[in-house]
Amino acid sequence: MKLWELTAYSEEKFHIKEQHKWADFPGFSVLAAPDTGKWIALLMRQWDSYLGEEIQRCDIKCGRQILSEIKAPYLSLPFRMKGNRWVGVKFDDKTEPDMVFRLFDRAVYASQERGYTVVLDVASTKSSILYPDTAIPLSGAQFSVTAPEVPDKIRRMQRLYQYSDSSFAQKCRNFYRQGKFMEDYEDDAPWNGEFRRYFTTYHDLNLRQLRGYFTWRTRLRKGDFSPIAASLAYLYLYELLNGIGTSSPEDSLRKMREFEIGFLDSGIGDPGIRGNLRRWMLEYAVLHNVSPALARQYADPALLKKDSALALLKDPNTASEEEIFEALCVFEGKKLEQSPVVKRDVAKGKHFFSSVWLCASRTFSQNGKDIFTACFGKPKSFSWYPLSNAVYCKKQKFPDTDYVLDPCRTYRCRNGIWQEERYDNLYFDRNRFHGLLREADRLLRKALKTGHYLRENPADAWAAPYAEEVIQAFRQAKLEAARPNITIDLSHLEQIRQDALITRDSLLTQEELDTEANRTPDVNTNGNSGTNANVKPDIQKIEEPAQPGSQKELSESMSSMPAALDPVHRQILLALTENVPIAPYLRANYLMPSVAADTINEALFDEIGDNVLECDGDTITLIEDYRDDILQILGGKANE
């Protein structure tokens, strides 16, 4: 027996659902009385690495005296709970389901005990007894009870039941035999009574209940969904799982989905049925080798969402930032979505956290594990018992097969024994996963100045480099965006030169033009000296005004400048730091002030991180805040 059989029994019979109260201990859960909230059973699932299997146990609040009344190897003192009301149960192949169910019933009924008034003086109540009116029969007449009319089809069905043994497998075989016989039966005798039973079959119902069920099924097959007891609704699902009233596995799945929409989504039926239905649809699809794409349409969306998130986090390089962030939220919850980093700018927030995971995926390595394996472990194989909590008749041995539902979940059958390979919560290192995102959140809030800062946790220090790398990349991108974007079309260089000459001539005075005309003539292309107006001056020939300091100091200063600057612009920057007029340099080299300023700013941007010169069109000004920085670059002259 397995623990899930007990949880299924408690939900179907008493509507008691399993409660997982401790996120850090996913293997522990409780079953509590719905009216009082008091615990009835504590369920424990623990992995035994030595045996390589999961150990399942529970403590049931059915009274310690049970141990003296029942001698069974799977019953013992409680494993976790204290007190004389608790009994321990170990779940293995020797555990008897019927016995465990009776113990659970006893625990539930004990939690619902009420007080009663007992009247000992019977004589005092005789005068209050009322007898109903009854017709007195004629002399010689006899009382007779009219037997209810039993449809011939139902009578014949009841005769099909075989009492060879009382095993659950025999119960399933009887159900399949009777169900196929009644596959097309229709009735018209409604019944709306209450009925609760675990693993309901036709044999468990009386005549009125049987006819009421078949009447309800007749209407349901015509699209008329109406209320009925949950145990009888389960009976209809058992029929679909056994192929009763269906033409193919795909038809069975389609009718299960129609039941979910018409009976559960509409609010008619018990919503607690949905969990079992989703599980059964997937298991049925695997057993009948339905295509994985179709099986995923019927599987539990929460299961598929988890698998999809795991597959994406394992290989995030082809995913979008939005997809990576959503996958992180599957395991981190609302904490990530509610971070001030995300609330301030949703797009940037998602970019930051997804980039942290991408960075860790590229560079994290510990004991040969990448970040995904360190957080979620590796796939493990677990015993799988498909449709074991349903009335299902296995008609033949399943062939060996490998059924890949998705990249994170595979079902394998060998010699009729099934196993499920999956990533399991038991092996998740949630502290590591949470630590990575929390440290990233802390550093991002601090870098972006969002407020609501988080306290530093020394245990999460290992995650800081990944967040810091993302923050540094963000800052660098911000600097690149602030840098002016200059594009020069070299195909128009000659026209630019001509325009520059015209502009220069328009700015020079007559005296300056005369001085320019008296300059030493250049040597023409034939080797003869003379005046040639069409020959352009060499841009590397610099007319240098008198400079303070020795020629040695000038050479040393020039050699320390950034390599991105040519000698002309280096000389202009040096002149600005020494407060020397730069107009002669601009005229001699045919430079426009704004172009010269942009060239110098761009060359020094990597060193300074900002513009060092300002230009209002004709005048270039050095920004005083960066004078010392430039002087240090020029050879350490700051603060002299």
Side-chain angles (χ1 to χ4, degrees):
M1 181 182 180
K2 300 295 181 180
L3 266 177
W4 62 259
E5 296 179 64
L6 177 58
T7 59
Y9 177 81
S10 67
E11 182 172 354
E12 182 173 342
K13 185 171 183 179
F14 301 106
H15 301 280
I16 296 175
K17 294 185 178 181
E18 185 177 7
Q19 301 179 28
H20 295 272
K21 292 181 172 291
W22 306 279
D24 294 335
F25 300 92
F28 287 74
S29 58
V30 298
L31 298 173
D35 52 344
T36 64
K38 294 182 178 180
W39 292 6
I40 298 173
L42 172 65
L43 314 183
M44 294 159 279
R45 302 174 180 86
Q46 294 176 300
W47 182 260
D48 190 328
S49 57
Y50 180 77
L51 297 177
E53 62 182 15
E54 186 181 70
I55 298 176
Q56 298 184 356
R57 299 174 295 180
C58 84
D59 291 338
I60 298 180
K61 196 176 182 181
C62 58
R64 185 72 57 82
Q65 67 274 16
I66 289 295
L67 297 179
S68 60
E69 299 173 2
I70 304 173
K71 301 299 182 181
Y74 50 86
L75 299 180
S76 66
L77 294 174
F79 299 102
R80 292 279 182 174
M81 302 304 295
K82 304 295 183 182
N84 294 327
R85 298 183 179 182
W86 293 89
V87 172
V89 181
K90 182 179 179 181
F91 288 76
D92 54 26
D93 296 337
K94 298 180 181 179
T95 307
E96 300 171 287
D98 290 340
M99 179 61 69
V100 176
F101 296 157
R102 289 203 298 269
L103 295 180
F104 187 77
D105 289 348
R106 183 167 179 168
V108 173
Y109 295 140
S111 69
Q112 298 175 350
E113 288 180 354
R114 300 289 187 270
Y116 297 92
T117 301
V118 180
V119 180
L120 299 179
D121 187 3
V122 179
S124 63
T125 63
K126 286 184 178 180
S127 60
S128 62
I129 297 177
L130 298 177
Y131 294 92
D133 295 334
T134 304
I136 299 176
L138 298 175
S139 176
Q142 296 181 352
F143 287 103
S144 63
V145 178
T146 303
E149 180 182 354
V150 181
D152 180 66
K153 189 81 170 178
I154 292 179
R155 190 186 303 276
R156 292 165 60 191
M157 178 202 73
Q158 292 173 334
R159 293 172 182 171
L160 293 175
Y161 194 87
Q162 296 180 358
Y163 294 89
S164 57
D165 61 65
S166 58
S167 66
F168 185 72
Q170 179 62 31
K171 182 176 184 177
C172 294
R173 286 192 291 269
N174 279 323
F175 173 74
Y176 178 75
R177 185 182 300 109
Q178 292 178 317
K180 294 301 288 184
F181 181 76
M182 302 294 289
E183 191 168 30
D184 299 324
Y185 178 75
E186 295 183 355
D187 208 329
D188 188 15
W191 176 81
N192 296 320
E194 288 293 327
F195 182 85
R196 289 187 179 183
R197 192 176 183 87
Y198 192 53
F199 296 142
T200 306
T201 63
Y202 309 119
H203 190 68
D204 299 321
L205 306 179
N206 60 34
L207 179 60
R208 291 185 59 197
Q209 293 165 344
L210 272 172
R211 297 197 65 183
Y213 167 73
F214 287 122
T215 301
W216 174 81
R217 188 185 74 174
T218 299
R219 295 175 178 175
L220 180 144
R221 288 179 175 180
K222 296 178 181 179
D224 181 11
F225 291 88
S226 57
I228 198 172
S231 295
L232 298 185
Y234 273 112
L235 181 59
Y236 174 71
L237 293 178
Y238 297 155
E239 289 182 348
L240 298 181
L241 292 174
N242 285 275
I244 299 172
T246 65
S247 59
S248 66
E250 290 77 11
D251 188 37
S252 292
L253 291 171
R254 180 181 58 81
K255 289 183 176 180
M256 290 184 208
R257 173 57 59 82
E258 290 175 353
F259 173 85
E260 181 181 22
I261 296 173
F263 192 71
L264 300 180
D265 292 349
S266 63
I268 296 175
D270 183 354
I273 299 176
R274 192 188 304 276
N276 282 326
L277 177 57
R278 282 288 181 173
R279 170 183 171 178
W280 291 340
M281 286 193 290
L282 173 59
E283 293 174 349
Y284 182 84
V286 175
L287 290 178
H288 292 81
N289 200 28
V290 175
S291 68
L294 181 61
R296 288 193 292 269
Q297 296 179 20
Y298 296 101
D300 184 0
L303 179 144
L304 296 179
K305 183 178 181 180
K306 177 182 174 182
D307 283 0
S308 177
L310 287 170
L312 193 147
L313 293 178
K314 184 178 181 180
D315 185 16
N317 295 320
T318 58
S320 66
E321 294 178 348
E322 175 80 18
E323 292 172 333
I324 297 174
F325 182 79
E326 293 300 327
L328 294 173
C329 290
V330 170
F331 301 101
E332 186 65 6
K334 295 183 179 180
K335 292 182 180 179
L336 207 58
E337 296 175 337
Q338 295 175 350
S339 168
V341 177
V342 178
K343 287 187 174 181
R344 168 181 280 192
D345 189 321
V346 176
K348 285 186 178 180
K350 293 179 178 180
H351 163 74
F352 288 135
F353 284 110
S354 60
S355 297
V356 169
W357 182 259
L358 283 169
C359 178
S361 298
R362 291 192 305 268
T363 59
F364 178 91
S365 180
Q366 187 177 62
N367 299 326
K369 297 179 180 179
D370 56 15
I371 187 63
F372 176 85
T373 305
C375 292
F376 300 105
K378 296 181 178 180
K380 301 290 182 181
S381 293
F382 299 88
S383 297
W384 190 57
Y385 305 95
L387 303 181
S388 53
N389 66 330
V391 178
Y392 177 72
C393 180
K394 185 172 67 174
K395 294 174 281 296
Q396 60 183 4
K397 183 178 179 180
F398 295 104
D400 292 353
T401 184
D402 289 338
Y403 187 96
V404 181
L405 179 67
D406 57 42
C408 296
R409 197 173 298 267
T410 300
Y411 299 92
R412 292 186 173 88
C413 182
R414 297 292 184 271
N415 298 320
I417 300 176
W418 284 92
Q419 285 193 322
E420 180 186 29
E421 185 179 278
R422 67 178 188 270
Y423 291 93
D424 194 85
N425 293 342
L426 292 172
Y427 301 94
F428 289 2
D429 190 343
R430 295 186 179 275
N431 290 333
R432 182 179 295 276
F433 181 77
H434 175 70
L436 172 65
L437 297 180
R438 185 185 184 280
E439 183 67 7
D441 194 10
R442 185 185 72 84
L443 293 175
L444 286 168
R445 292 187 191 191
K446 183 177 179 181
L448 301 175
K449 298 179 175 59
T450 63
H452 303 284
Y453 301 118
L454 297 175
R455 183 178 301 175
E456 183 177 2
N457 185 358
D460 299 336
W462 65 271
Y466 310 109
E468 290 170 351
E469 181 175 336
V470 172
I471 294 172
Q472 181 61 31
F474 167 71
R475 290 172 175 167
Q476 185 64 30
K478 189 175 181 181
L479 291 175
E480 292 292 338
R483 178 179 298 179
N485 186 14
I486 301 175
T487 302
I488 299 177
D489 188 352
L490 297 180
S491 63
H492 297 84
L493 183 58
E494 183 60 30
Q495 183 63 41
I496 294 174
R497 288 175 176 172
Q498 295 295 334
D499 293 343
L501 288 175
I502 296 173
T503 302
R504 184 203 64 168
D505 292 341
S506 65
L507 295 176
L508 294 177
T509 63
Q510 185 61 42
E511 181 180 355
E512 291 172 332
L513 289 173
D514 294 340
T515 302
E516 184 68 18
N518 293 329
R519 292 179 61 187
T520 302
D522 295 332
V523 179
N524 59 25
T525 57
N526 295 323
N528 300 323
S529 62
T531 302
N532 189 346
N534 294 326
V535 178
K536 309 298 184 297
D538 187 357
I539 195 171
Q540 297 296 333
K541 186 178 293 183
I542 304 174
E543 294 292 337
E544 299 182 359
Q547 297 291 328
S550 66
Q551 184 65 30
K552 180 179 180 181
E553 290 177 349
L554 176 61
S555 299
E556 291 176 351
S557 298
M558 293 286 289
S559 63
S560 64
M561 292 300 294
L565 285 177
D566 56 36
V568 175
H569 291 88
R570 294 183 186 184
Q571 189 65 54
I572 293 173
L573 180 62
L574 182 63
L576 288 170
T577 59
E578 300 292 346
N579 295 321
V580 174
I582 63 172
Y585 299 109
L586 298 176
R587 288 195 301 269
N589 295 280
Y590 311 105
L591 295 176
M592 298 181 67
S594 60
V595 175
D598 288 343
T599 302
I600 295 173
N601 283 335
E602 184 176 359
L604 295 183
F605 196 86
D606 290 337
E607 291 285 341
I608 306 299
D610 198 358
N611 292 335
V612 299
L613 302 180
E614 292 181 345
C615 181
D616 60 1
D618 296 327
T619 304
I620 300 177
T621 306
L622 177 68
I623 298 176
E624 291 298 326
D625 291 345
Y626 301 117
R627 180 181 291 274
D628 290 344
D629 295 329
I630 296 175
L631 288 175
Q632 288 180 359
I633 294 175
L634 293 176
K637 295 184 179 183
N639 299 325
E640 289 185 359

